[in-house]
Amino acid sequence: MKQLVFLLISFIFAQDDLVYVQAVWRHGARNYYHCNWNCIKDQPRGDEAILTPTGMRQQYILGKWIRQRYIIEYQFLSSKFNENEIYIESSDENRTLTSAYCNLQGMYPEGPSIPHFKKENESLLLPPNQGAQIPRDIGDDALPHKIQLIPIHTQQKALHYPIVIQCPKMNADNKNTQLYKEVNIATAQLYHDFNTELNLQGDEKVNDIIELSHWRDTFICNRYNGDPLPPNLKPKTLQQLDDLANLAQSLEKFQTPNQVKIQSTPYFQRLIENFDSALAEGQNVKYFGSSAHDTTLGCLLSALNLTSAQCQADIYLNQTYIDFAANLIFELYNNINTGPFVKVLYNGEYVPICSDFAKTCEYTRFRSIISAQLVNYSKECIESNQEINFTYYQTPKWAYLGFGIVILLLILVFRAILKLRQTLVQREKE
Ligand SMILES: *[C@@H]1O[C@H](CO)[C@@H](O)[C@H](O)[C@H]1NC(C)=O
Ligand SMILES: *[C@@H]1O[C@H](CO)[C@@H](O)[C@H](O)[C@H]1NC(C)=O
Ligand SMILES: *[C@@H]1O[C@H](CO)[C@@H](O)[C@H](O)[C@H]1NC(C)=O
Ligand SMILES: *[C@@H]1O[C@H](CO)[C@@H](O)[C@H](O)[C@H]1NC(C)=O
Ligand SMILES: *[C@@H]1O[C@H](CO)[C@@H](O)[C@H](O)[C@H]1NC(C)=O
Ligand SMILES: *[C@@H]1O[C@H](CO)[C@@H](O)[C@H](O)[C@H]1NC(C)=O
């Protein structure tokens, strides 16, 4: 009887323990990417799509939000940065790398202090360079303002399949589909208004949804960065451009269920691996963050059936755009009685997974649904993909040849000198 009561009580009060969190976010606001308005073509501009101050602020605040949830409320992560607990990766782009640093400033604002050294030991704090000095006002903070720096891992672009959507052979025909044509026909009036408002003539005229979305990209960047917009562009037209942005991206990059499946495979494969090993208690990492792109999130949202090119087209003009700093978080919980389960947040709100309404999904079910969608990514994208070049340095053949010739010449010269010396010595003797 006692045991039964205990079981009942433990069932009622059983805790949902958070076990593992995997987050992926889009970088914050950046500079424009396509030179289509108010910029000079063919002029080198350095890093075009760099993270702007607005984007830094967005990421910093997202990091604070993550801190509030997982460090303060759930007490899931240590309040001071613990490098065994978290792993952060970024695609190899300046804007995503910088975003990750800004995000982590929000998550771990406070860094460490140095040991309190007195006068005679202060030199331990200096590099061995002559004239090196301790800055005034730094006190015992390791770094100015006591900031914390956190390692961000990255890989060369071609290898970052989980967070960089780049399977070019997948979408070669996407502009020739029926859906693409239908959407373009339905957008005729918008093209007309847009071309008129921007006074575009002849070849400049826009009549393609993907190209239109490139213009929209410039305007959204300008809006976020406090730069001007075309004076005659009507707010209604701009709103229509916003509404089309998601659809254009889906049509271009992951239009069909097969394209979604293939391109979301590397991310989900790793998610399942991480969740599995978290449940097997084989690892210390509890928080895995990825600094990525709008296409990454778009593809994953499609793979979770939260959106799709078809459904975006169906409710044409009724979509929300994947904003700067948009984020998707996968939470793995365990419950002693009911077992592990998963919850997914999009921009901080739980979204339905596994079915149209449920906000939680048993992990076994989540695992089997996602696993059923996984394909052989290498086979589909890598083997026949000429674009992926490994950049290991190889000594070119001419270098070996040149080296050989030089050695040969040296030997010949050396022998000539020897011979000359022998002759001279012999002459002296004579
Ligand atoms: C990153 O920024 C540097 C300059 O800060 C620039 O030279 C480089 O091209 C940028 N990299 C990319 C991938 O844009
Ligand atoms: C300086 O360092 C030495 C060796 O670590 C230690 O014995 C000594 O107490 C230190 N002096 C001060 C003033 O911290
Ligand atoms: C998405 O929908 C397809 C087709 O109905 C289904 O096969 C798949 O399991 C669903 N995926 C998820 C993650 O719900
Ligand atoms: C459009 O979106 C709004 C809000 O997200 C929703 O209330 C409305 O039902 C949607 N309309 C259609 C046609 O899907
Ligand atoms: C995936 O495809 C590649 C290339 O076709 C093959 O070498 C590999 O064995 C496949 N992997 C699996 C798990 O089937
Ligand atoms: C990769 O290498 C191939 C052949 O060596 C070349 O044609 C192609 O342009 C390269 N791609 C990139 C992205 O460098």
Side-chain angles (χ1 to χ4, degrees):
M1 185 62 197
K2 242 187 190 169
Q3 268 175 339
L4 197 72
V5 171
F6 179 75
L7 249 173
L8 210 68
I9 289 173
S10 73
F11 187 80
I12 293 166
F13 292 101
Q15 289 246 314
D16 292 340
D17 288 323
L18 191 54
V19 178
Y20 195 91
V21 172
Q22 186 157 325
V24 50
W25 55 80
R26 183 189 183 194
H27 56 76
R30 56 162 161 74
N31 270 342
Y32 63 87
Y33 201 88
H34 308 278
C35 180
N36 42 28
W37 184 75
N38 210 17
C39 76
I40 301 165
K41 283 202 164 72
D42 306 323
Q43 180 177 293
R45 286 175 293 147
D47 184 14
E48 301 159 22
I50 206 163
L51 192 74
T52 58
T54 304
M56 294 176 192
R57 174 69 65 81
Q58 292 176 311
Q59 282 294 337
Y60 173 71
I61 293 173
L62 176 60
K64 275 177 79 73
W65 187 91
I66 293 171
R67 174 178 180 79
Q68 179 64 28
R69 184 176 179 84
Y70 297 115
I71 298 177
I72 296 170
E73 283 169 25
Y74 288 36
Q75 303 196 347
F76 171 64
L77 298 169
S78 312
S79 62
K80 288 267 163 70
F81 169 62
N82 173 348
E83 64 183 14
N84 296 315
E85 276 178 3
I86 82 173
Y87 185 93
I88 307 294
E89 70 173 1
S90 169
S91 67
D92 189 16
E93 299 278 359
N94 290 336
R95 60 186 178 282
T96 44
L97 286 161
T98 316
S99 288
Y101 287 113
C102 298
N103 183 302
L104 289 162
Q105 277 296 309
M107 205 172 159
Y108 289 104
E110 201 178 299
S113 300
I114 52 160
H116 185 68
F117 286 126
K118 295 257 172 55
K119 273 268 178 280
E120 65 263 40
N121 286 348
E122 268 188 356
S123 66
L124 295 174
L125 298 169
L126 295 173
N129 302 34
Q130 272 285 320
Q133 279 184 352
I134 294 173
R136 254 183 277 153
D137 307 331
I138 196 169
D140 283 347
D141 301 343
L143 294 171
H145 310 298
K146 214 167 195 268
I147 59 165
Q148 171 72 57
L149 293 185
I150 292 176
I152 314 288
H153 303 273
T154 193
Q155 296 197 41
Q156 65 186 97
K157 274 180 207 165
L159 296 179
H160 230 150
Y161 323 119
I163 53 171
V164 177
I165 302 298
Q166 52 171 13
C167 186
K169 77 162 190 165
M170 280 310 311
N171 34 45
D173 289 329
N174 279 7
K175 283 190 167 192
N176 299 324
T177 62
Q178 191 56 33
L179 186 61
Y180 196 81
K181 281 179 197 142
E182 279 170 23
V183 168
N184 263 326
I185 290 167
T187 316
Q189 183 62 43
L190 180 57
Y191 296 142
H192 177 265
D193 295 347
F194 182 80
N195 290 330
T196 310
E197 286 164 33
L198 268 96
N199 194 23
L200 299 178
Q201 307 291 342
D203 278 357
E204 295 174 336
K205 282 191 182 172
V206 177
N207 56 11
D208 172 82
I209 182 176
I210 292 174
E211 209 207 320
L212 190 62
S213 76
H214 293 170
W215 287 77
R216 186 266 176 192
D217 187 80
T218 303
F219 304 152
I220 194 89
C221 289
N222 288 6
R223 199 198 277 164
Y224 273 83
N225 297 323
D227 294 333
L229 291 176
N232 295 328
L233 184 65
K234 296 199 176 114
K236 181 171 164 254
T237 311
L238 193 57
Q239 180 60 48
Q240 285 174 303
L241 294 186
D242 283 352
D243 292 337
L244 274 178
N246 246 6
L247 174 58
Q249 183 179 75
S250 303
L251 290 172
E252 184 180 5
K253 305 247 158 128
F254 25 85
Q255 194 179 128
T256 65
N258 197 38
Q259 290 173 357
V260 169
K261 239 181 357 191
I262 291 171
Q263 297 184 102
S264 65
T265 283
Y267 186 88
F268 281 125
Q269 215 153 25
R270 206 177 49 183
L271 180 77
I272 297 290
E273 276 166 19
N274 289 345
F275 277 5
D276 279 354
S277 65
L279 288 173
E281 293 176 58
Q283 63 174 25
N284 298 318
V285 173
K286 293 155 77 176
Y287 176 82
F288 191 113
S290 308
S291 198
H293 303 268
D294 52 353
T295 43
T296 322
L297 272 91
C299 185
L300 296 180
L301 290 172
S302 300
L304 292 168
N305 289 344
L306 294 171
T307 187
S308 75
Q310 185 63 56
C311 116
Q312 287 164 352
D314 290 348
I315 51 169
Y316 185 34
L317 304 189
N318 201 25
Q319 278 299 306
T320 51
Y321 179 64
I322 298 171
D323 276 317
F324 292 126
N327 52 93
L328 190 56
I329 303 182
F330 298 86
E331 295 178 341
L332 175 66
Y333 292 84
N334 206 351
N335 181 304
I336 338 167
N337 301 308
T338 54
F341 61 95
V342 176
K343 292 188 186 191
V344 180
L345 297 118
Y346 182 54
N347 294 341
E349 303 287 337
Y350 286 121
V351 288
I353 44 167
C354 294
S355 71
D356 287 344
F357 43 88
K359 302 279 165 80
T360 67
C361 180
E362 261 178 57
Y363 181 54
T364 45
R365 189 163 144 67
F366 179 81
R367 199 180 183 287
S368 74
I369 292 177
I370 296 293
S371 300
Q373 293 182 190
L374 301 182
V375 296
N376 186 337
Y377 184 82
S378 319
K379 189 171 147 220
E380 302 293 343
C381 288
I382 298 175
E383 260 191 339
S384 53
N385 182 353
Q386 297 302 307
E387 280 303 303
I388 293 171
N389 290 338
F390 294 86
T391 56
Y392 298 118
Y393 183 73
Q394 269 197 333
T395 313
K397 292 211 174 66
W398 58 262
Y400 286 119
L401 195 70
F403 187 67
I405 291 173
V406 168
I407 294 281
L408 203 73
L409 281 175
L410 277 177
I411 292 172
L412 288 178
V413 169
F414 192 66
R415 280 185 54 176
I417 291 172
L418 269 184
K419 201 136 192 201
L420 197 71
R421 257 194 66 173
Q422 263 173 8
T423 326
L424 285 178
V425 168
Q426 233 157 34
R427 273 204 198 143
E428 259 171 41
K429 273 187 194 160
E430 280 167 9

